[in-house]
Amino acid sequence: MTSNEEYRRQIMKDLAGGNVESLDEPTANSTTEYQNFDDFAQRTTPDQRRQLFGRSLHPDKIPTSQMEPELQQAIAQIKPNERDDVARAFFKHLKERGLDDRHLEQQLGLSTHHPSRMSADDVSKLASFVYHNHPDIFREVLAEQPGIIKFLSNPVVAGILGIAAAKWLGSRK
């Protein structure tokens, strides 16, 4: 196992147990313990996750050059139905901004604009575009579809998410 994977697993394990002592603000034990990241994702609301991600997932904090390979790897690992949901959510939010899915298909070189037919590569291209050009939509979709997060392995990404989660967990007392 690489050090990146070990680091990410330790952060997720610490967060699942409510352990936030080693991060920014020392706090007492959280009253809510999560068994793992899936439990955290299922038991938190999109509003709570939206607040958690705040401004931490932004190209100013994590450069696109670091995030793009992470997104490709993460999207390749999520279930096809979750990948469809992620693509559908991106298109929905982009459409609200006046961006047409067929135009995006051509602009980004996607094989299709139908979320259920998109490959992992198509969804990765779409996610990278949204991360770079519409970071608020990117954060919104992650709050709605948090499955991608558990597959992000970059220590910078995991560290930022860990700090954000620790602050959120600490504020729940």
Side-chain angles (χ1 to χ4, degrees):
M1 186 177 331
T2 67
S3 62
N4 286 351
E5 290 171 3
E6 290 170 8
Y7 179 77
R8 181 179 64 87
R9 285 189 181 170
Q10 185 60 46
I11 285 176
M12 294 303 177
K13 182 180 174 189
D14 289 349
L15 292 174
N19 179 3
V20 296
E21 291 177 11
S22 63
L23 300 171
D24 279 347
E25 301 162 7
T27 60
N29 288 339
S30 173
T31 57
T32 304
E33 287 194 13
Y34 300 98
Q35 298 301 314
N36 53 40
F37 183 80
D38 290 331
D39 182 38
F40 172 77
Q42 290 173 0
R43 291 176 44 201
T44 55
T45 66
D47 285 338
Q48 290 169 325
R49 290 188 300 268
R50 196 173 295 111
Q51 180 183 5
L52 165 69
F53 301 143
R55 292 193 170 122
S56 60
L57 285 172
H58 194 279
D60 293 343
K61 305 251 187 214
I62 305 169
T64 306
S65 62
Q66 284 185 338
M67 187 57 114
E68 284 182 7
E70 290 298 321
L71 287 171
Q72 288 174 334
Q73 177 184 344
I75 289 169
Q77 293 180 56
I78 62 175
K79 297 174 189 169
N81 62 321
E82 291 175 337
R83 191 171 53 232
D84 297 351
D85 292 342
V86 167
R88 197 169 284 106
F90 279 136
F91 279 134
K92 177 187 136 215
H93 288 284
L94 290 167
K95 189 172 188 164
E96 290 171 359
R97 297 261 173 101
L99 297 170
D100 179 62
D101 54 356
R102 291 173 197 254
H103 177 73
L104 287 167
E105 175 186 0
Q106 293 173 346
Q107 179 183 349
L108 301 175
L110 306 176
S111 64
T112 183
H113 65 274
H114 298 285
S116 61
R117 295 187 203 149
M118 293 178 82
S119 68
D121 187 52
D122 288 332
V123 178
S124 295
K125 288 177 185 176
L126 182 60
S128 293
F129 168 79
V130 173
Y131 178 74
H132 182 70
N133 295 289
H134 302 279
D136 57 321
I137 292 176
F138 184 83
R139 290 186 303 269
E140 179 68 25
V141 170
L142 283 188
E144 294 171 5
Q145 306 290 331
I148 296 173
I149 297 167
K150 71 180 175 181
F151 295 111
L152 295 175
S153 64
N154 185 315
V156 173
V157 174
I160 287 174
L161 291 175
I163 290 168
K167 288 180 179 178
W168 178 76
L169 290 170
S171 70
R172 289 187 39 92
K173 289 187 246 112

